[in-house]
Amino acid sequence: MKKSSINKTSSNSPISRRSFLKVFGAAGATACASTVRPAEAQTKQPKEELMTVLDISKCIGCGECVAACKDSNAHKFPTVSKPIPKMFPPRVKVEDWSDKKDVDDRLTPYNWLYIQTAEVEHNNEEYEFNIPRRCLHCTNPPCANLCPWGAARKEDSGIVRISEDICLGGAKCRTVCPWHIPQRQSGAGLYLNLLPRFAGNGTMLKCDRCYDKIAQGEQPACITVCPENVQRIGSRNKMIAYAKDLAASMNGFIYGLEENGGTNTIYVSPVPFEKLNKAIEKGKGKPHLAPVENSMANEETLTSALIAAPIAGVAAGVLKVLSDARKEKNND
């Protein structure tokens, strides 16, 4: 098997990952408890982290997964109140996708999955690949560790979610994400009931891996509709073994196993990801496929997360109360 196109990284940080997770977990427990809604608490969550493996040699770019994602998650999309308040300072721009819900060639608040296309040459052969792109669900996600309001969190299932109930749309999650995955919709969410010109700027949205389906023992919509069986989902250890065997069978390459310290979405390709990254269109809403060092292994980032965790816990509790009050008022 050829070496993977990803680069392993090591950390000289005096704070070990185990120590960090122990401290962060204790500090953030209150936030997680306060943001789980009763309906969610009653559903069955997997006991181990789930991973998806995508064999991009199989994807034909039919778009069935994109359509299924939209249909299945439409009830989670934000409702926008207009006119949208202009933010202060003016450099904070309003991001409004409410009239562009049909856009499907990039990630948006209403499109959590899209297909990238890459035409490459490898070993004197021409290839065209279609690559389904969405949140990679990092094993140690900076979006969840560094959200100042406790709105983003990683669940036991390995799913990384943003709670629409308490997100203020400040976009910290997008800033710290190595792929800048989360997308903002202004004019929606809790911030409108606080200080709409100063507090946030909407709500952040991204793939939540159909957590509601997972909780009921079902598979994500994008997986069940795929006619080519591009994706496979299962326990992390089993999927890692499967991905390695698959890569070995095609003398191929793996992306996601080491990126950002490891993700729960792994791509397997018969050509190097370095070539794929050069061939795909990149930019806003169009993530790269370059190697990514472990952002949470940086000592400064770890320290920031440790400081932010208890503050985020308190903030999440307060925002949850405000969100519940807002819902009660709207229901009256």
Side-chain angles (χ1 to χ4, degrees), residues 173-192:
C173 55
R174 181 169 60 191
T175 301
V176 299
C177 172
W179 298 275
H180 308 300
I181 296 289
Q183 300 296 311
R184 176 164 55 198
Q185 174 59 54
S186 301
L190 184 60
Y191 91 110
L192 292 173

Side-chain angles (χ1 to χ4, degrees), residues 213-246:
K213 289 182 177 292
I214 292 290
Q216 299 299 328
E218 301 175 17
Q219 292 190 343
C222 61
I223 295 180
T224 57
V225 302
C226 179
E228 301 297 325
N229 297 315
V230 171
Q231 297 191 63
R232 183 179 295 189
I233 188 170
S235 65
R236 179 173 174 81
N237 288 335
K238 290 182 179 179
M239 288 298 98
I240 289 176
Y242 164 67
K244 290 181 176 179
D245 288 343
L246 179 61

Side-chain angles (χ1 to χ4, degrees), residues 44-46 48-54 65 68-70 72-73 75-77 111-113 133-139 153-162 181 205-224 231-237 239-240 255-256 262-267:
K44 184 179 180 181
Q45 292 292 328
E48 55 186 332
E49 292 189 13
L50 298 175
M51 171 183 280
T52 53
V53 176
L54 294 89
C65 57
C69 177
K70 279 195 172 187
S72 180
N73 294 295
H75 64 287
K76 304 171 187 174
F77 294 159
N111 193 65
W112 302 352
L113 167 66
R133 300 305 305 275
R134 54 167 174 75
C135 175
L136 279 79
H137 298 276
C138 299
T139 58
R153 68 179 185 272
K154 178 186 173 185
E155 299 184 341
D156 292 341
S157 62
I159 295 173
V160 181
R161 289 180 53 198
I162 299 174
I181 296 289
L205 297 109
K206 70 172 188 67
C207 161
D208 59 20
R209 197 185 267 172
C210 293
Y211 72 88
D212 40 352
K213 289 182 177 292
I214 292 290
Q216 299 299 328
E218 301 175 17
Q219 292 190 343
C222 61
I223 295 180
T224 57
Q231 297 191 63
R232 183 179 295 189
I233 188 170
S235 65
R236 179 173 174 81
N237 288 335
M239 288 298 98
I240 289 176
Y255 187 89
T263 73
N264 278 319
T265 297
I266 286 183
Y267 293 92

Side-chain angles (χ1 to χ4, degrees), residues 3-326:
K3 292 183 179 179
S4 166
S5 60
I6 52 181
N7 295 327
K8 294 186 177 181
T9 59
S10 60
S11 170
N12 295 321
S13 169
I15 306 175
S16 69
R17 174 175 290 185
R18 179 177 295 181
S19 299
F20 165 71
L21 291 176
K22 184 182 293 185
V23 176
F24 180 78
T30 303
C32 292
S34 66
T35 55
V36 174
R37 288 165 286 184
E40 294 174 301
Q42 294 171 6
T43 57
K44 184 179 180 181
Q45 292 292 328
K47 294 182 180 180
E48 55 186 332
E49 292 189 13
L50 298 175
M51 171 183 280
T52 53
V53 176
L54 294 89
D55 179 356
I56 67 170
S57 69
K58 290 183 176 182
C59 184
I60 59 176
C62 66
E64 289 293 325
C65 57
V66 178
C69 177
K70 279 195 172 187
D71 291 344
S72 180
N73 294 295
H75 64 287
K76 304 171 187 174
F77 294 159
T79 300
V80 179
S81 298
K82 294 187 177 182
I84 298 176
K86 293 184 179 180
M87 296 300 296
F88 183 86
R91 59 182 170 79
V92 180
K93 303 298 182 182
V94 166
E95 298 180 48
D96 182 16
W97 290 88
S98 60
D99 295 326
K100 297 178 284 186
K101 296 179 181 178
D102 293 335
V103 172
D104 63 3
D105 63 348
R106 58 159 287 172
L107 299 175
T108 79
Y110 302 91
N111 193 65
W112 302 352
L113 167 66
Y114 86 107
I115 307 294
Q116 282 179 323
T117 300
E119 296 181 1
V120 299
E121 184 274 331
H122 182 61
N123 290 340
N124 297 319
E125 290 189 41
E126 298 291 332
Y127 295 88
E128 179 175 314
F129 293 102
N130 300 291
I131 312 167
R133 300 305 305 275
R134 54 167 174 75
C135 175
L136 279 79
H137 298 276
C138 299
T139 58
N140 194 13
C143 61
N145 292 338
L146 298 172
C147 176
W149 311 114
R153 68 179 185 272
K154 178 186 173 185
E155 299 184 341
D156 292 341
S157 62
I159 295 173
V160 181
R161 289 180 53 198
I162 299 174
S163 173
E164 67 274 15
D165 287 345
I166 60 178
C167 178
L168 297 179
K172 179 73 172 180
C173 55
R174 181 169 60 191
T175 301
V176 299
C177 172
W179 298 275
H180 308 300
I181 296 289
Q183 300 296 311
R184 176 164 55 198
Q185 174 59 54
S186 301
L190 184 60
Y191 91 110
L192 292 173
N193 295 82
L194 301 175
L195 296 171
R197 291 199 64 203
F198 302 93
N201 194 355
T203 185
M204 305 299 296
L205 297 109
K206 70 172 188 67
C207 161
D208 59 20
R209 197 185 267 172
C210 293
Y211 72 88
D212 40 352
K213 289 182 177 292
I214 292 290
Q216 299 299 328
E218 301 175 17
Q219 292 190 343
C222 61
I223 295 180
T224 57
V225 302
C226 179
E228 301 297 325
N229 297 315
V230 171
Q231 297 191 63
R232 183 179 295 189
I233 188 170
S235 65
R236 179 173 174 81
N237 288 335
K238 290 182 179 179
M239 288 298 98
I240 289 176
Y242 164 67
K244 290 181 176 179
D245 288 343
L246 179 61
S249 70
M250 63 177 71
N251 200 23
F253 305 82
I254 296 176
Y255 187 89
L257 188 57
E258 304 290 343
E259 305 309 314
N260 201 35
T263 73
N264 278 319
T265 297
I266 286 183
Y267 293 92
V268 179
S269 164
V271 306
F273 283 93
E274 180 182 1
K275 290 187 176 182
L276 292 174
N277 186 54
K278 290 180 179 178
I280 59 174
E281 184 180 355
K282 299 176 285 294
K284 291 184 178 180
K286 299 180 179 183
H288 63 79
L289 279 169
V292 176
E293 294 186 355
N294 185 358
S295 61
M296 291 307 300
N298 179 278
E299 181 178 352
E300 183 178 346
T301 304
L302 283 170
T303 302
S304 298
L306 290 170
I307 294 173
I311 299 174
V314 174
V318 171
L319 292 175
K320 185 64 169 62
V321 171
L322 291 172
S323 176
D324 290 343
R326 173 179 175 241

